[in-house]
Structure formats: C-alpha cells, structure tokens
C-alpha cells in the first residue's frame, strides 16, 4: 500500500488529536518544551530490589525504578515546566507475569496514574495479536488522561482487524498536535516495521509501512497544516533514530525506544551507557535534532528540555533520572543522573491489588533447581559459572519441556527471543516459569523433511544476522545438534546436523519426514523462520493448544529436581570484527 494513497488528514483529525495546554509561549519568540519520557517498560511494574551500583570501588545493592516512582517523577517534571509533555515510546506490555495474567490491564492502570499525553505502538504491543492489543488499548482509554496512541505506519486491515472495525484510525492515530499558548507541537508515532511483522504476532492481515516513507509523508502533512515544531515518538531503535533524523526535514526531536538504550553518565558506576543524554544530530535542513531514550523496565525517566528560537532548535538539554529509593545511601543519591524518588501512594495501593492476585495464584514451588541455569540468546556461554563453550541452559531446558509435552516429536526447536530469563538456583514457582516464558504461545508439531530442516535453520541464522532482524531468531533445541559457522556464506552456516532417534545421533535424510515440536509464534513464519509459514499452509502443522509456559510447568513438576543438561557441544564461529 502506497502512503500517497492514504487520504490527507483534514483539519477534523487535527482538532481531534489536539490537546490544549494552558501555558503561554514567550513573547520574544523563544519557547521551551520539556518532555518526561519512558520506553520499554515491558510490564515491569515493580521496582528492581537489588540493582548493583559501584562507587569508589564499593558495590551497593539498592532498590530502583518501579511504576509508582515513574508516576512521581513524571509529576515532578510536569510541575517544573509550564510547557511539558509526558510520552511513552512503546513496548509497554509483555514480559512479566503482570501481562501474562492481566493482559495489559495492570499496565494500563499504572500508566493512567502517570497520565501520558501520547504513546507509540511498539512491536511487543502485538504479542497477543490485534485482539490482545485492543484489550490493552481499551483499558488505557478508561481514564480522563486521553492518552493519544500513535502508529503512523501501522496498517491493520479495515473491517477485519479488531483494531480497525470501521476506519484505519479507530484505535490509534498517525500523529497528535499539542498547543501551548500560540505554539503548536506535532508528534508522529512510528513502530519498527520488519521486526514487528516478523518477530511479534500481529494479525496476518496487519501490515507495517516503511518508517522513513511514513515519517516523510506526515512531516509534510503537518507542515501543510502550519506546524513547524515537529517531533517523532518512535519504537525503531536508537541507531535508526539517528539515521532517520538526518534524512528528514523539519524534525526537531525524537523520543525513542526498542533498543533499550541508556543515555547518561552511568558507565562509571557499573551500569550500561550508550552515549550522552540527550544525543544530538542534524536534520536534512542542517538544523539540530534532540534525541532521547530512557533505558528500560521503569528504571529511568528522561527529562528532555528543548529550547526553540522561532521554529528552530537552539539548545538540547535536560537529564535522565535513574530512579532510586529515598533510603539509598547518600553517596548514591548524590551521583549525577541518579534521583531519589518517593513512590506515589495511590500507585502503590493500586499495584498492591494486582500483586496480591498474582501471589495467590503463582507462588507455590513446583520443583527445585539444583544450580543456576544460564541464558544466552545466541552463541555460547562465556563465563566459568555457566560453563565456557556451553549453549544456553535455559533454552535447552525449555526445548526438553517441549519434548515432554509432545512425546511423538523427534526433536524440539525454540527461538532465542522466546526465552526471557535465566533460571535461578532454588525453588521454582509458576511465577518464575511465566517470567521465563511470558508470551501467549502454544506448542505445535510440524511434519518436516531433513532437507527442509536444513533450509529452516539457515533462514533463522540469516534473519539473526540481517539488518533489521533480531538475534532472537537464533535456534536452540533438544534432540537435535548442529555446528554453526557465522563466517560462512548464507546457506552454508549449518554443519554436522544430527537428530536423535532410538537413542542414537543420526544425520537427517533429505527425503525423510520428521516430527518437530516448536512454538506457535514460529509456526507463523515469524522471526525469519519463513519456511514454517509454507509448511503451515501445506497443512503439516498441528496446534496442541498447550501453552508453552504450561508445558514447562508440567515438565518441572515431573522432574521435581532440575539439573544442568548435558551439553550437545554445538560449536559457534563468529567472524572477526571488520
């Protein structure tokens, strides 16, 4: 679908998306805009209890983040600045048991405490299909906040998707316009196109347009409406934000997400740091663009402050706030870009209601884990306590659980991105399992030939290495082993492929049919496993309707005591840099 075929949005849409902020602009033409922002909170509503921060050689374990602190900090920024927007750059949902159980309702309830002006759709908003996203958006709309949900390049099929029963803009908008006195600020929302289509679970009829083409189209539309202060609210990764800014005219700022990028002075204290806050580049007109991201998991709230002279950015300023407990040591609270924050009381009470329901359901131990089971999305473990040269223990055990639930299968395959945590030593609970496997996937069996299996594994590696792809495509398995040479040409990266039959490792025969068990996400051809979509269309995929997390629960209960699996000794070769 060409973006030029989308009808121009008339003044009625502008008015519908326009929010009036009762703050006058400066009479001399100067204007200052502040933005309080987060991204990628992934249903992490509770604080992290033992964040490690190192100061002068001493390591401190402190409590950080949590949505009640986000609410407090957003409100503090709002009070400091007369012209302020609160923005969320996507991936609000999916990643913890709060989403697995409450399907976005808990996230929406806490987000409404912060009262965001706008939110961009992210790839994980589609993890439970268009209908799952609609459930979350309905809950988000149950507030006077009127959060504008933005997704200019998201194209559900009108009349088919629950997101678009009548028109393309039933559930979200391409942009929103905010007015501060005489000043108008337009914000365009963008989702990462290839990754959302291939590595999440939007409906088959939902498409995603190119990010640059979309942004260029709507920048032009805003300018035709007389709006020259223009921002992008994106979920397309930090590096793509930099490139996009340089290709577009008139864009003044970008608030982004997806890459979980930490900007600010944090590396000296043993934390992530990907650059200064804010980052800055030049747009196509040669004018400054302010770019800000805020890490992940409610740990950071960004406070971007932009000074305009006329319609041109004259200064990018502000700071990120790593949210720490008021009880943190004074040496921590004095650090730059660390902010001691009290939890919003109303949000604490609301979160407690959801927590109580979770605890009642999920805290009973189901097995004992004998030792730490390390997790690595692709490649081999590199730390001694994981066993140097081993593949990911967590992924291997998940695949073993698949085989337990589908005993008719010869082997199991699982993608790297479908397993989200390592498995700690000690009691294992249902809650732990649903944090390990948080998505709404079921087990499926697949009839596949040996020749098709080789093609499928090569496709997964191609996608893991491709620009715009995801290392979450990397294949892990049980009852199957193979060598991987990343320095080889496409189609030649898999070697020594074997499957286990009757207790013996055998090279699969090209024409022989095997039964594979995997997850329903991959069965759609997602994460670059394209051949599975063809096999599915051929009628060789059978849904067991067993939730993939439930399969691990059933397997763990049967094991009672979980020990580190025997290594399949898969080799991985990574080409030298450059």
């Amino acid at each position: 679908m060409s973006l030029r075929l989308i009808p121009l949005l008339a003044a009625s849409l502008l008015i519908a998306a326009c929010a009036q902020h009762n703050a006058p602009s400066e009479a001399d033409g100067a204007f200052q805009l502040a933005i309080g922002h987060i991204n990628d909170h992934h249903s992490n509503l509770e604080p992290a209890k033992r964040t490690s921060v190192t100061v002068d050689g001493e390591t401190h374990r402190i409590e950080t983040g949590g949505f009640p602190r986000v609410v407090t900090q957003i409100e503090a920024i709002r009070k400091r600045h007369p012209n302020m927007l609160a923005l969320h750059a996507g991936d609000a949902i999916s990643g913890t048991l709060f989403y697995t159980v409450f399907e976005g309702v808990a996230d929406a309830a806490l987000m409404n405490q912060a009262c965001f002006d706008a939110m961009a759709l992210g790839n994980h908003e589609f993890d439970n299909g268009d209908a799952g996203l609609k459930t979350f958006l309905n809950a988000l709309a149950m507030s006077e906040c009127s959060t504008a949900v933005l997704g200019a390049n998201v194209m559900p099929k009108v009349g088919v998707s629950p997101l678009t029963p009548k028109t393309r803009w039933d559930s979200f908008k391409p942009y929103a316009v905010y007015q501060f006195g005489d000043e108008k600020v337009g914000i365009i929302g963008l989702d990462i196109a290839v990754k959302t289509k291939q590595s999440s679970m939007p409906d088959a009829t939902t498409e995603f347009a190119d990010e640059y083409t979309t942004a260029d189209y709507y920048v032009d539309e805003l300018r035709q409406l007389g709006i020259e202060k223009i921002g992008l609210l994106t979920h397309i990764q930090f590096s793509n934000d930099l490139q996009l800014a340089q290709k577009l005219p008139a864009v003044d700022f970008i608030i982004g997400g997806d890459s979980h990028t930490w900007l600010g002075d944090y590396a000296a204290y043993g934390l992530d740091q990907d650059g200064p806050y804010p980052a800055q580049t030049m747009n196509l007109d040669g004018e400054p663009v302010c770019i800000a991201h805020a890490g992940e998991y409610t740990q950071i709230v960004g406070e971007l402050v932009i000074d305009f002279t006329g319609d041109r950015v004259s200064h990018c300023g502000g700071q990120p706030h790593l949210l720490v407990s008021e009880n943190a040591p004074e040496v921590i609270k004095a650090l730059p870009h660390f902010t001691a924050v009290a939890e919003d009381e109303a949000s604490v009470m609301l979160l407690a209601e959801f927590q109580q329901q979770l605890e009642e359901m999920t805290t009973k131990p189901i097995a004992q884990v004998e030792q730490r089971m390390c997790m690595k999305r692709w490649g081999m473990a590199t730390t001694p306590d994981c066993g140097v040269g081993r593949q990911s223990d967590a992924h291997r055990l998940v695949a073993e659980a698949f085989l337990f639930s589908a005993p008719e299968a010869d082997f199991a395959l699982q993608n790297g991105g479908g397993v989200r945590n390592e498995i700690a030593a000690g009691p294992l609970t249902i809650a732990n399992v649903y944090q390990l496997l948080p998505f709404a996937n079921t087990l499926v069996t697949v009839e596949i030939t040996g020749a098709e299996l080789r093609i499928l594994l090569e496709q997964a590696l191609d996608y893991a290495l491709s620009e715009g792809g995801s290392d979450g495509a990397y294949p892990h398995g049980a009852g199957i082993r193979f060598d991987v040479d990343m320095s080889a040409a496409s189609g030649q990266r898999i070697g020594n492929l074997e499957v286990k039959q009757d207790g013996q490792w055998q090279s699969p025969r090209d024409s022989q049919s095997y039964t594979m068990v995997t997850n329903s996400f991959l069965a759609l051809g997602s994460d670059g496993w394209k051949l599975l979509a063809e096999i599915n269309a051929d009628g060789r995929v059978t849904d067991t309707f067993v939730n993939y997390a439930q399969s691990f629960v059933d397997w763990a209960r049967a094991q009672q005591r979980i020990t580190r699996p025997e290594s399949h000794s898969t080799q991985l070769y990574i080409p030298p840099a450059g």
Side-chain angles (χ1 to χ4, degrees):
M1 177 178 182
S2 169
L3 279 171
R4 291 297 169 184
L5 296 179
I6 301 171
L8 283 176
L9 298 177
S12 59
L13 177 57
L14 172 65
I15 295 169
C18 183
Q20 177 75 40
H21 290 249
N22 295 318
S25 59
E26 299 293 334
D28 61 1
F31 172 69
Q32 186 178 84
L33 176 69
I35 300 172
H37 62 99
I38 68 170
N39 54 271
D40 296 277
H41 88 254
H42 282 289
S43 299
N44 283 262
L45 305 179
E46 299 174 301
K49 297 294 186 181
R50 290 178 57 78
T51 299
S52 177
V53 179
T54 301
V55 183
D56 296 330
E58 182 179 359
T59 298
H60 303 265
R61 297 285 185 175
I62 61 172
E63 182 175 297
T64 58
F67 226 97
R69 288 193 176 93
V70 170
V71 173
T72 299
Q73 188 60 34
I74 290 287
E75 185 57 28
I77 297 171
R78 192 174 274 128
K79 288 179 178 178
R80 275 198 291 272
H81 301 280
N83 307 319
M84 184 271 192
L85 292 172
L87 304 179
H88 193 306
D91 276 5
I93 57 177
S94 191
T96 76
L97 201 56
F98 283 107
Y99 180 69
T100 303
V101 173
F102 299 114
E103 299 181 335
V105 172
D107 293 281
L110 270 296
M111 288 175 66
N112 282 333
Q113 294 293 111
C115 211
F116 290 96
D117 291 288
M119 171 194 167
L121 292 175
N123 56 301
H124 282 284
E125 264 69 70
F126 289 90
D127 278 353
N128 205 14
D130 289 20
L133 173 54
K134 185 63 174 175
T135 297
F136 165 66
L137 295 183
N138 287 344
L140 190 65
M142 295 179 65
S143 165
E144 295 181 357
C145 293
S146 300
T147 300
V149 179
L150 306 180
N153 63 329
V154 180
M155 301 186 296
K157 189 169 183 179
V158 176
V160 175
S161 170
L163 294 168
T164 52
K166 295 182 179 179
T167 75
R168 182 177 168 189
W169 309 119
D170 288 339
S171 299
F172 55 90
K173 305 295 181 188
Y175 58 76
V177 177
Y178 300 89
Q179 188 156 352
F180 303 88
D182 295 330
E183 303 285 354
K184 290 180 181 178
V185 178
I187 298 178
I188 301 164
L190 296 171
D191 191 9
I192 188 164
V194 174
K195 185 177 181 181
T196 305
K197 184 63 176 178
Q198 296 294 326
S199 297
S200 190
M201 294 188 69
D203 288 5
T205 54
T206 295
E207 300 295 337
F208 299 84
D210 176 75
E211 298 92 335
Y212 163 71
T213 307
T214 305
D216 187 52
Y217 178 88
Y218 285 111
V219 166
D220 182 63
E221 180 162 307
L222 286 174
R223 298 184 81 181
Q224 289 184 42
L225 293 168
I227 298 165
E228 292 291 340
K229 294 180 175 66
I230 298 173
L232 305 180
L233 184 59
T234 70
H235 194 83
I236 67 171
Q237 302 182 358
F238 181 62
S239 60
N240 292 327
D241 283 334
L242 290 168
Q243 295 176 29
L244 187 62
Q246 294 163 10
K247 294 167 64 177
L248 292 168
V251 169
D252 299 303
F253 63 90
I254 299 177
I255 302 296
D258 189 59
S259 50
H260 297 217
T261 298
W262 283 55
L263 301 179
D265 298 328
Y266 296 116
Y269 311 111
L271 297 168
D272 290 336
Q273 180 176 328
D274 300 300
Y277 183 101
Q280 185 172 321
T281 188
M282 295 291 181
N283 64 24
L284 190 62
D285 300 323
E287 297 181 347
V289 181
C290 313
I291 301 177
H293 285 229
E296 60 189 1
Y297 305 153
T298 71
Q299 296 297 292
I300 294 174
V301 172
E303 181 178 0
L304 178 64
V305 180
I306 309 167
D307 290 306
F308 291 87
T309 300
D311 291 322
R312 187 180 187 277
V313 172
S314 57
H315 183 256
C316 302
Q319 67 166 327
H321 300 271
L322 177 58
L323 309 179
V324 303
S325 167
E326 289 185 305
N327 296 325
E330 292 300 321
V331 67
I332 299 292
K333 294 190 286 186
L335 295 175
H337 298 173
F338 287 65
T339 304
V341 178
E343 295 180 295
D344 175 71
E345 292 183 5
S347 300
V348 169
M349 294 176 63
L350 182 59
L351 180 56
E353 296 177 12
F354 289 110
Q355 289 169 319
Q356 182 177 353
Q357 296 177 57
L358 283 183
E359 290 171 3
E360 291 172 356
M361 295 170 56
T362 61
T363 55
K364 295 180 180 179
I366 57 173
Q368 182 72 19
V369 180
E370 295 297 305
Q371 58 202 128
R372 173 188 175 192
M373 303 294 168
C374 298
M375 188 274 282
K376 193 171 178 63
R377 282 163 69 104
W378 75 340
M380 294 178 292
T382 55
T383 56
D385 56 348
C386 291
V388 175
R390 295 176 58 82
Q391 291 291 304
S392 171
D393 293 322
H395 288 86
R396 169 68 182 281
L397 293 181
V398 167
E400 294 286 0
F402 286 9
L403 285 177
F404 177 83
S405 293
E408 70 275 23
D410 297 302
F411 59 90
L413 283 176
Q414 163 68 37
N415 60 313
V419 178
R420 306 304 284 188
N421 294 311
E422 65 177 38
I423 306 170
L428 180 74
T429 68
I430 293 175
N432 297 146
V433 173
Y434 277 85
Q435 291 162 355
L436 178 76
L437 302 169
F439 306 118
N441 295 328
T442 58
L443 298 187
V444 300
T445 56
V446 181
E447 298 306 314
I448 187 170
T449 68
E452 289 172 330
L453 175 59
R454 288 185 173 86
I455 294 171
L456 181 66
L457 293 170
E458 293 283 357
Q459 286 181 343
L461 294 176
D462 282 348
Y463 188 70
L465 291 170
S466 68
E467 183 178 353
S470 170
D471 62 3
Y474 189 88
H476 299 261
I480 184 171
R481 64 185 185 184
F482 46 87
D483 293 346
V484 177
D485 185 352
M486 291 298 196
S487 66
S490 175
Q492 300 177 26
R493 296 184 176 116
I494 294 291
N496 298 323
L497 175 61
E498 294 181 320
V499 296
K500 201 168 191 179
Q501 290 191 307
D502 301 322
Q504 300 294 321
W505 289 106
Q506 303 175 9
S507 178
R509 298 176 182 175
D510 285 354
S511 59
Q512 183 173 336
S513 181
Y514 299 86
T515 301
M516 175 178 78
V517 59
T518 187
N519 64 67
S520 55
F521 169 72
L522 293 177
L524 298 174
S526 304
D527 250 359
W529 295 44
K530 296 182 291 185
L531 182 60
L532 285 187
E534 299 175 25
I535 294 174
N536 200 348
D538 195 37
R540 289 185 281 146
V541 173
T542 303
D543 197 331
T544 70
F545 299 104
V546 175
N547 180 277
Y548 86 145
Q550 187 61 50
S551 76
F552 198 91
V553 171
D554 295 340
W555 172 81
R557 282 176 169 155
Q559 300 299 310
Q560 288 294 298
R561 306 190 78 81
I562 299 173
T563 58
R564 182 168 285 171
E566 177 185 353
S567 175
H568 280 347
S569 300
T570 302
Q571 301 298 311
L572 177 82
Y573 299 91
I574 299 178

